[in-house]
């Protein structure tokens, strides 16, 4: 997929994703070693976007499993088209059960879900298992077979083994601890908030037309907000949203009025907004 770490950086940048050296190196190693990549970090720092950027950079199909409490095998792996199976059984009234069973448990009646979809076929794919920590612990057992050997067992059809392994990214906000067995199968990458220079570059890239001085002010104020004891620190995505907001408002500088009126773009809790309004000193930044 990639020839070097520099190749990763260049091709991701071409898609609009500015990767730090640590991110580019880990992506290169995951691709070269054929290992899944577990990406942890706070919400909004670009974990999901990394998988999308890799898919765009490699002209690969993105297959996404969005995890949530209660996601099960039928949503993650596969299920049978029961309505179609019933129609098939009804149409073949003269058949024995053994004859009907051979037919209804075939590819025609199989509904592949993201995990099975990702390991079938020879086309390049990126498998994104998003917010893995939100799924129940039981789903990790299912992931172990898929991520360990890139194969899936369908009892009625046998074992399906990938002929071309997908580049696999698991994301986690670390709301619960993932099992050691799952972690062992993955390379690990933590993405935190970027340094000021990288965040300025991200803002300038994502918000064309913004003045360099205004972009620097936005990043500096967001950094000050992250240093406060807030319920939720502003993410990179919210920094970009704030920059776009200021551009839409026609603001050329950050003053107290503009900040006060637009803090709801970057802070999403009223107590955070009140704390920031009371403690934020623009003159000192």
């Amino acid at each position: 997929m990639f020839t070097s770490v520099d190749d990763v950086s260049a091709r991701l940048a071409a898609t609009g994703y500015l990767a730090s050296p640590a991110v580019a190196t880990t992506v290169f190693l995951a691709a070269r070693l054929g290992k899944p990549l577990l990406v942890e970090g706070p919400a909004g720092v670009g974990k999901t976007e990394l998988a999308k950027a890799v898919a765009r950079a490699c002209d690969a199909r993105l297959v996404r499993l969005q995890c949530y409490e209660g996601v099960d095998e039928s949503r993650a792996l596969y299920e049978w088209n029961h309505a179609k199976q019933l129609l098939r059984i009804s149409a073949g009234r003269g058949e024995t059960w053994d004859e009907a069973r051979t037919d209804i448990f075939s590819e025609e009646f199989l509904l592949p879900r993201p995990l099975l979809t990702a390991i079938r076929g020879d086309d390049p794919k990126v498998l994104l298992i998003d917010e893995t920590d939100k799924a129940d612990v039981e789903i990790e057992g299912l992931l172990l077979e898929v991520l360990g050997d890139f194969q899936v067992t369908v009892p009625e059809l046998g074992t399906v083994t990938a002929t071309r392994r997908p580049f696999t990214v698991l994301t986690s906000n670390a709301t619960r601890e993932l099992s050691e067995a799952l972690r062992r199968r993955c390379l690990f990458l933590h993405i935190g908030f970027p340094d000021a220079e990288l965040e300025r570059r991200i803002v300038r890239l994502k918000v064309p037309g913004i003045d360099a001085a205004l972009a620097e002010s936005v990043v500096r104020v967001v950094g000050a907000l992250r240093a406060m004891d807030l319920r939720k620190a502003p993410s990179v995505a919210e920094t970009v949203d704030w920059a776009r907001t200021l551009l839409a408002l026609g603001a050329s500088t950050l003053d107290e009025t503009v900040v006060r009126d637009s803090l709801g773009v970057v802070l999403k809790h009223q107590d955070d907004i009140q704390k920031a309004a009371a403690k934020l000193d623009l003159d000192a930044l």
Side-chain angles (χ1 to χ4, degrees):
M1 297 178 68
F2 301 104
T3 59
S4 66
V5 174
D6 289 340
D7 183 44
V8 174
S9 297
R11 289 168 64 182
L12 291 183
T15 72
Y17 189 97
L18 300 181
S20 68
V23 170
T25 299
T26 310
V27 168
F28 172 72
L29 291 174
R32 180 58 59 91
L33 300 175
K35 300 274 286 184
L37 177 58
L38 171 59
V39 187
E40 282 190 347
V45 294
K47 302 185 298 296
T48 300
E49 190 59 31
L50 174 61
K52 294 179 179 179
V54 170
R56 292 193 298 269
C58 299
D59 195 23
R61 177 184 172 192
L62 179 69
V63 180
R64 181 173 182 172
L65 171 61
Q66 180 64 52
C67 295
Y68 54 87
E69 185 178 351
V71 65
D72 59 9
E73 181 175 316
S74 65
R75 296 298 180 187
L77 196 53
Y78 72 91
E79 61 182 328
W80 293 103
N81 189 332
H82 299 301
K84 192 173 181 180
Q85 286 176 323
L86 288 173
L87 288 172
R88 170 63 183 81
I89 292 171
S90 299
R93 294 182 182 276
E95 292 179 319
T96 66
W97 166 241
D98 286 338
E99 291 171 334
R101 180 177 57 185
T102 301
D103 192 14
I104 65 174
F105 289 111
S106 62
E107 284 283 347
E108 180 183 354
F109 300 89
L110 185 68
L111 297 175
R113 298 310 184 197
L115 296 181
L116 181 56
T117 298
I119 68 169
R120 297 207 304 179
D122 295 325
D123 57 315
K125 299 185 188 75
V126 172
L127 171 60
L128 169 60
I129 305 174
D130 212 8
E131 298 186 300
T132 310
D133 52 321
K134 288 188 177 180
D136 297 327
V137 175
E138 291 75 16
I139 203 69
E140 292 188 26
L142 178 64
L143 293 176
L144 294 180
E145 178 185 18
V146 177
L147 301 181
D149 300 315
F150 283 92
Q151 65 181 28
V152 168
T153 300
V154 181
E156 297 84 355
L157 298 178
T159 299
V160 180
T161 303
T163 56
R164 179 170 184 168
R165 291 190 174 193
F167 183 91
T168 304
V169 178
L170 299 87
T171 73
S172 170
N173 295 332
T175 57
R176 73 169 176 85
E177 189 68 25
L178 300 178
S179 71
E180 291 301 323
L182 183 61
R183 288 179 177 274
R184 279 199 307 272
R185 285 161 172 77
C186 305
L187 299 185
F188 178 77
L189 172 66
H190 182 271
I191 299 181
F193 297 120
D195 59 40
E197 173 58 30
L198 179 56
E199 193 159 20
R200 279 194 297 271
R201 291 173 57 206
I202 293 171
V203 170
R204 296 295 302 277
L205 177 66
K206 298 293 186 181
V207 191
I210 192 171
D211 180 79
L214 182 58
E216 184 173 351
S217 296
V218 168
V219 169
R220 190 165 58 245
V221 172
V222 168
L225 292 172
R226 288 176 183 152
M228 296 180 184
D229 183 21
L230 303 177
R231 289 177 62 182
K232 182 188 178 300
S235 68
V236 178
E238 286 158 343
T239 304
V240 172
D241 285 343
W242 201 21
R244 287 175 177 153
T245 299
L246 297 172
L247 199 62
L249 292 173
S252 57
T253 60
L254 276 179
D255 55 37
E256 290 187 7
T257 300
V258 171
V259 171
R260 183 181 62 248
D261 292 344
S262 60
L263 265 179
V265 176
V266 334
L267 301 178
K268 305 303 170 67
H269 297 279
Q270 181 59 24
D271 50 346
D272 284 350
I273 292 174
Q274 291 174 340
K275 183 180 294 185
K279 292 186 176 182
L280 194 61
D281 184 0
L282 295 179
D283 294 333
L285 296 177

